[in-house]
Amino acid sequence: MEIEIDIDKVSSDLSHKRTVRDFAVRYYKFSKLEGVLPWSLAYIANKVSFDTFLDDPTRAYIKFFLEDDLFLQKSQVKLSLLGLKKEIIRSEDFVGQLFLTKLIQSYAFAKVWSDRAVKDANVLLSAKDSLIVYDEFGDRHDSSWKDHLSSYAEDKYLDRISRFLSKNFREARIFAYKVIGNNVVYSMHDYYECTKFDYYKTCWIEFACELVERQNYSDDLIHEDSILSTTNSNNMLEVMSGWEFEKYLAARINNETTMHAEVTKGSGDQGADLIVKGIGLSAVIQAKHYSSKIGNKAVQEAFSARQYYGTGLAIVVANAGYTKSAWQLAEKTGVLAMTEASILDLLKVLSR
């Protein structure tokens, strides 16, 4: 996946901080020359969330270089763990070492791991669904997935990076020095000291997993969008409010099926917009008339409403579609994620 960064915008937005601006421009320039992109930017993505980075890498890039205080905060933790005095935290040399460490890591990753990162990401993702669980409230727990990534990093990635740097440390350091713009005293020993407490050792492979998932999800949406496009003529006018959409959907259910739909009062509805009942069937519906895809919250509310009302089904209706996370949560919790057309088709079949 090609990741484009508007370096002119970066330079403009960082112009009030000349040193940081120059650093950003050099980082982009030399990374491009060395073929380090996009993997060197995974560390940046980890700071601002992968979605933000993939949607707007320029903004993520700027955010990274403006947050130089983050390095000082991390150095506080590291220095305290090493038993060093707090006064050293503000040392420019030490902050420079932190920058150098991440630059050298990104360089090594690009040289050693880029070719197999996507392949390994596919293997790791095959276990992801079984390692992420949802509790009875629909809340996600991913500690086992994180542990799996950490184990992979320790077993595969970190050792390979270390072996590469033991033979090519000088060239990696030259790259980092070009970006930093000065020769901070930095040795292989300094590198290992700075990585003893590496909070982001899995970020590159997480980034690869996100890229693979994003591509797979894009492929899935081709099918979903084709379904949605056939129902646009039947959908409500865009000017309807959420409450009007709930009444509209209830009216269609009552008029076109043998089910009875009732709009809840709103206040104190416990996550249900509509209650649907029929012979041998009951359901709660969360109706979302949004212009963009909905996330986990609506699915969680529908799941909770089913528990509260004791209905057989929990359904979310959203004509603009769902985020990947919402699809996954719906699958795990048994909530039906549907469109206006598909819910009517389902109820017509169930009411025969």
Side-chain angles (χ1 to χ4, degrees):
M1 179 183 291
E2 183 67 20
I3 296 176
E4 292 297 330
I5 295 174
D6 184 350
I7 199 62
D8 292 331
K9 185 173 185 296
V10 172
S11 300
S12 173
D13 283 13
L14 299 179
S15 61
H16 63 291
K17 279 186 149 184
R18 180 176 175 79
T19 302
V20 179
R21 181 202 64 196
D22 292 345
F23 182 23
V25 172
R26 285 196 301 272
Y27 185 34
Y28 181 84
K29 175 184 175 182
F30 292 116
S31 293
K32 197 80 168 176
L33 286 174
E34 295 289 344
V36 173
L37 293 173
W39 305 110
S40 62
L41 299 177
Y43 182 65
I44 296 172
N46 201 64
K47 297 288 198 308
V48 295
S49 88
F50 293 105
D51 282 340
T52 299
F53 176 73
L54 292 171
D55 292 338
D56 189 353
T58 299
R59 183 157 62 94
Y61 194 65
I62 292 168
K63 184 176 175 63
F64 173 73
F65 285 108
L66 286 177
E67 287 192 345
D68 44 340
D69 284 347
L70 183 62
F71 286 97
L72 293 173
Q73 293 167 15
K74 291 300 178 188
S75 70
Q76 286 186 25
V77 176
K78 181 183 181 302
L79 288 172
S80 63
L81 288 171
L82 292 175
L84 301 178
K85 293 182 179 179
K86 193 171 183 179
E87 298 85 79
I88 304 176
I89 292 170
R90 292 289 170 180
S91 163
E92 291 184 6
D93 284 348
F94 186 75
V95 174
Q97 287 184 354
L98 290 175
F99 273 108
L100 279 163
T101 300
K102 299 325 283 187
L103 291 170
I104 285 173
Q105 281 185 322
S106 67
Y107 181 88
F109 182 87
K111 296 300 183 183
V112 172
W113 217 255
S114 286
D115 290 341
R116 65 175 285 180
V118 171
K119 177 179 75 69
D120 284 14
N122 275 301
V123 175
L124 287 164
L125 287 170
S126 66
K128 184 176 180 179
D129 285 344
S130 63
L131 294 174
I132 295 178
V133 298
Y134 294 84
D135 62 24
E136 65 271 25
F137 303 104
D139 293 326
R140 169 183 164 125
H141 300 278
D142 60 3
S143 58
S144 294
W145 166 242
K146 297 291 186 183
D147 289 343
H148 187 53
L149 291 177
S150 181
S151 176
Y152 164 87
E154 293 283 358
D155 184 44
K156 302 290 185 183
Y157 155 67
L158 294 178
D159 180 61
R160 287 280 296 276
I161 294 299
S162 295
R163 279 188 278 134
F164 171 83
L165 289 176
S166 67
K167 297 178 181 178
N168 304 280
F169 186 76
R170 185 173 179 274
E171 72 173 76
R173 185 173 60 184
I174 288 172
F175 163 75
Y177 278 162
K178 286 178 182 178
V179 177
I180 290 288
N182 57 54
N183 289 5
V184 176
V185 177
Y186 190 84
S187 65
M188 194 73 176
H189 172 75
D190 295 319
Y191 173 82
Y192 284 120
E193 283 297 303
C194 283
T195 55
K196 275 184 179 178
F197 305 98
D198 189 352
Y199 299 92
Y200 303 107
K201 65 184 176 184
T202 65
C203 71
W204 281 284
I205 191 60
E206 286 184 86
F207 185 63
C209 288
E210 289 284 342
L211 287 177
V212 171
E213 286 189 308
R214 175 66 69 97
Q215 183 59 54
N216 292 341
Y217 184 47
S218 296
D219 294 341
D220 290 342
L221 281 180
I222 294 174
H223 175 66
E224 178 66 19
D225 287 343
S226 67
I227 295 174
L228 290 175
S229 64
T230 64
T231 66
N232 284 340
S233 61
N234 295 324
N235 290 346
M236 52 162 288
L237 295 174
E238 292 182 1
V239 295
M240 280 188 182
S241 67
W243 184 65
E244 289 172 328
F245 178 56
E246 292 168 15
K247 292 198 300 179
Y248 162 84
L249 185 59
R252 288 203 66 183
I253 292 172
N254 290 332
N255 292 333
E256 299 176 33
T257 77
T258 60
M259 303 290 180
H260 175 71
E262 182 178 344
V263 178
T264 61
K265 295 180 181 179
S267 177
D269 61 16
Q270 302 297 326
D273 294 326
L274 281 71
I275 307 293
V276 178
K277 294 181 179 180
I279 299 176
L281 179 136
S282 62
V284 289
I285 295 179
Q286 265 278 322
K288 296 298 182 186
H289 177 50
Y290 291 172
S291 59
S292 58
K293 296 179 178 65
I294 68 161
N296 284 12
K297 185 179 179 184
V299 178
Q300 291 171 333
E301 289 177 346
F303 179 82
S304 297
R306 180 177 63 192
Q307 307 292 101
Y308 181 80
Y309 288 100
T311 59
L313 296 176
I315 303 169
V316 180
V317 176
N319 288 337
Y322 302 84
T323 65
K324 181 178 181 180
S325 179
W327 278 115
Q328 291 175 333
L329 180 57
E331 183 179 355
K332 291 286 185 180
T333 57
V335 173
L336 301 180
M338 312 190 79
T339 64
E340 175 189 330
S342 62
I343 179 62
L344 287 166
D345 287 342
L346 173 67
L347 293 181
K348 286 174 185 177
V349 170
L350 294 177
S351 62
R352 284 176 183 169

